[in-house]
Amino acid sequence: MENQNIISNAKYDRKYDDLSFSGNIALIGFMGTGKTTVCNALSHIYGMDVVDADADIERKTGMRINEIFEQYGEEHFRDLETQTLGSYEGRQNTVISCGGGAVLRHRNVEILKRISRVVLLSARPKTVLFRLKDDDTRPKLRGHKNTADIASMMAERETQYKNAADIIVDTDGKSIPEICREILQNAARIQ
Ligand code: S3P
């Protein structure tokens, strides 16, 4: 995902494209694979509405994700995540940015599959490390800021990510508009 500035210069317009997909899209994938960035680009370029599960959890609880993990533990965070994803039922033309661990719970996968096309964004461990090296907002990456640990966490989650996904998009080396286009083209094909 290079050249992020290209978003503001993009001249894509869905009416000139074969991107007739009008349902919801859920973006899943490991931390640092670009879910939030791509979500915002799908909104900016293609006019989709956006919801971000982590941001909604923080808004509802008035707490940062780190604080929720520290004070109440991961299970409690996962419960909040399930409630939040459930609250998106009934949405249309919306892109849902999911936390990287959302699909580790089968219930969440059921919700996402019912209401959206599920798109897995992938990136190399090196890319994830580069993007998140100065970030301290991810409790699951504390003490694991190296490619070996990231690769091993990715490998642990790989089956769950792949089983949840309707579409897989590799983000390495692609511009954000290219990624958006690939997502919508594939979603239109399988709707
Ligand atoms: C998590 C990913 C985070 C956030 C929480 C747990 C995970 O979201 O939900 O820190 O277990 O992978 P991002 O993928 O948006 O960083």
Side-chain angles (χ1 to χ4, degrees), residues 120-191:
L120 172 63
L121 298 184
S122 73
R124 284 191 295 260
K126 208 172 102 184
T127 309
V128 168
L129 181 64
F130 176 76
R131 289 183 188 150
L132 298 182
K133 62 183 181 317
D134 299 323
D135 178 289
D136 62 358
T137 65
R138 267 80 171 187
K140 300 293 285 180
L141 284 185
R142 258 196 209 149
H144 299 289
K145 291 277 183 65
N146 60 76
T147 43
D149 282 6
I150 290 172
S152 113
M153 279 178 77
M154 278 181 173
E156 270 169 37
R157 292 178 170 194
E158 190 180 352
T159 306
Q160 281 150 304
Y161 282 144
K162 289 197 170 154
N163 286 344
D166 297 311
I167 297 160
I168 300 176
V169 175
D170 184 12
T171 62
D172 276 305
K174 291 178 192 159
S175 72
I176 294 167
E178 276 170 345
I179 294 166
C180 292
R181 197 179 163 75
E182 193 174 327
I183 289 171
L184 289 177
Q185 269 177 335
N186 281 293
R189 224 169 271 144
I190 61 168
Q191 76 183 316

Side-chain angles (χ1 to χ4, degrees), residues 29-33 35-36 52-54 57 65-66 69 74 77-78 81 97-102 104 132 135 137-141 153 157 161:
F30 200 78
M31 295 161 272
T33 49
K35 299 181 295 289
T36 304
D52 182 312
D54 283 348
I57 291 169
I65 306 272
N66 267 331
F69 268 71
E74 181 168 350
F77 171 77
R78 298 293 171 206
E81 200 167 39
S97 183
C98 301
L104 304 180
L132 298 182
D135 178 289
T137 65
R138 267 80 171 187
K140 300 293 285 180
L141 284 185
M153 279 178 77
R157 292 178 170 194
Y161 282 144

Side-chain angles (χ1 to χ4, degrees), residues 82-102:
T82 303
Q83 281 167 24
T84 303
L85 295 176
S87 75
Y88 299 148
E89 300 235 18
R91 283 197 155 266
Q92 286 173 344
N93 194 35
T94 299
V95 51
I96 304 166
S97 183
C98 301

